[in-house]
Amino acid sequence: MSYIKAGQDANGEDIKLHYTDQGQGQTVVLIHGWPQSHEAWTYQLGELPKHGLRVVAYTRRGFGNSSKPFEGYDYDTLADDLKAVLDTLDLQNVTLVGFSMGGGEVARYMSRHGGARVAKVAFISAVTPYLLKTDDNPDGVPQSVFDDIQANIAKDRFDFLQSFGKDFYGVGALSKPVSQAVLDWSFGMASLGSHQATVQCATAFATTDFRSDLAAISVPALVIHGEDDKTVPIKNSGERMSQHLKHATYVVYDGAPHGLFITDKDKLNRDLVAFATGSSVEASK
């Protein structure tokens, strides 16, 4: 396994991020969502390098085979971890792709580190611009929704993860967009995360306001969101991103759930390849 050092924890132990680096050419960096690992990008890792792209994907601290410190799950720290990846591998003119929680890392990195080394950004099913309902964000998600998530994690994290996975991929009584094998695979990834990381990252993506971070982004941007996303509803995220990234290309995947990197993998792969290589991506009307 390959690892990148991203600072030290409170006990002076090195924090190591598990990563993979495949292909050659223009670099795409993939940032996974909560509560999985970079292995979630399996179909993108298997396809994008075929199109003259170098693809780097890493696992966020606290998850998968990365180090699991007790602290450091705020977005400033997570953006610094992303910087460690870009700096250590000396990546240039990167296309940053953030899925769900990973969209927050993209936004915070661009403001906190001035967009260094980055040529383009993509937000896929992202938690940006701001999920929590507040007085100045009346269209957000009520705090009670996030309180229920935390309560269910505290009660039985593994049962929560299994139920969460079904909503993640849009599985219902009459809807089976993914197999049981995919649900099992996703549960296995999520269960490797530490309890503390799962809890603290849920707090981070629920309560962090990225509106000012998005204002710092001037590079080409792509926003993709599933129309039937029950995890990060499109009205709270995708539809609002155009208010903050007016120059972004906005694409809605009809009927797609949150986990569209699996359910709509072929379409997502085509759009990511086109965006990274400079071809046009057809915006939704």
Side-chain angles (χ1 to χ4, degrees):
M1 294 183 182
S2 299
Y3 291 91
I4 288 171
K5 180 180 175 181
Q8 296 182 325
D9 64 16
N11 297 317
E13 297 292 329
D14 288 347
I15 294 172
K16 297 178 181 179
L17 306 179
H18 182 209
Y19 79 100
T20 186
D21 186 347
Q22 300 180 22
Q24 295 179 340
Q26 184 67 37
T27 304
V28 177
V29 175
L30 302 173
I31 309 169
H32 67 87
W34 176 91
Q36 298 181 324
S37 72
H38 80 258
E39 302 290 347
W41 294 108
T42 182
Y43 286 108
Q44 288 67 49
L45 289 166
E47 182 64 24
L48 269 59
K50 297 177 182 178
H51 300 271
L53 294 170
R54 177 184 179 185
V55 184
V56 174
Y58 70 96
T59 294
R60 181 180 296 110
R61 63 170 62 201
F63 296 90
N65 290 311
S66 289
S67 299
K68 298 176 174 64
F70 195 74
E71 66 290 299
Y73 299 104
D74 60 282
Y75 269 100
D76 283 353
T77 302
L78 297 176
D80 292 349
D81 287 353
L82 171 54
K83 184 176 187 297
V85 172
L86 301 185
D87 289 351
T88 300
L89 298 178
D90 193 23
L91 303 178
Q92 304 288 345
N93 298 315
V94 167
T95 297
L96 281 184
V97 180
F99 171 78
S100 193
M101 181 179 181
E105 269 132 311
V106 171
R108 182 55 54 88
Y109 175 86
M110 294 300 288
S111 64
R112 183 172 172 84
H113 296 293
R117 301 177 181 270
V118 176
K120 302 175 183 179
V121 294
F123 297 86
I124 315 299
S125 306
V127 298
T128 49
Y130 186 21
L131 286 185
L132 185 64
K133 182 177 182 179
T134 60
D135 289 343
D136 71 342
N137 191 43
D139 296 324
V141 179
Q143 178 65 51
S144 60
V145 172
F146 301 115
D147 290 342
D148 286 344
I149 290 174
Q150 295 286 15
N152 288 324
I153 292 173
K155 180 181 179 181
D156 187 337
R157 179 165 67 96
F158 301 103
D159 182 66
F160 166 80
L161 291 175
Q162 286 195 327
S163 298
F164 177 79
K166 293 178 180 179
D167 288 338
F168 191 95
Y169 293 111
V171 174
L174 301 177
S175 176
K176 306 291 183 183
V178 298
S179 65
Q180 183 61 46
V182 167
L183 293 176
D184 294 343
W185 166 73
S186 294
F187 172 74
M189 272 191 292
S191 65
L192 289 176
S194 74
H195 183 89
Q196 179 70 355
T198 304
V199 168
Q200 291 299 314
C201 282
T203 297
F205 71 68
T207 61
T208 303
D209 184 350
F210 299 104
R211 290 175 293 187
S212 62
D213 298 296
L214 294 172
I217 297 175
S218 59
V219 298
L222 174 66
V223 175
I224 295 175
H225 217 97
E227 179 187 36
D228 199 30
D229 191 331
K230 298 292 194 301
T231 304
V232 180
I234 192 170
K235 68 176 183 179
N236 300 119
S237 180
E239 290 181 1
R240 298 175 58 211
M241 285 290 281
S242 60
Q243 302 172 21
H244 303 278
L245 285 179
K246 297 184 185 299
H247 67 289
T249 299
Y250 178 40
V251 184
V252 177
Y253 284 11
D254 294 341
H258 191 60
L260 50 76
F261 58 86
I262 297 291
T263 62
D264 295 71
K265 58 184 180 297
D266 294 337
K267 185 175 183 180
L268 179 63
N269 288 346
R270 287 194 297 269
D271 285 343
L272 289 179
V273 168
F275 182 63
T277 58
S279 300
S280 61
V281 178
E282 184 175 353
S284 298
K285 298 179 181 179

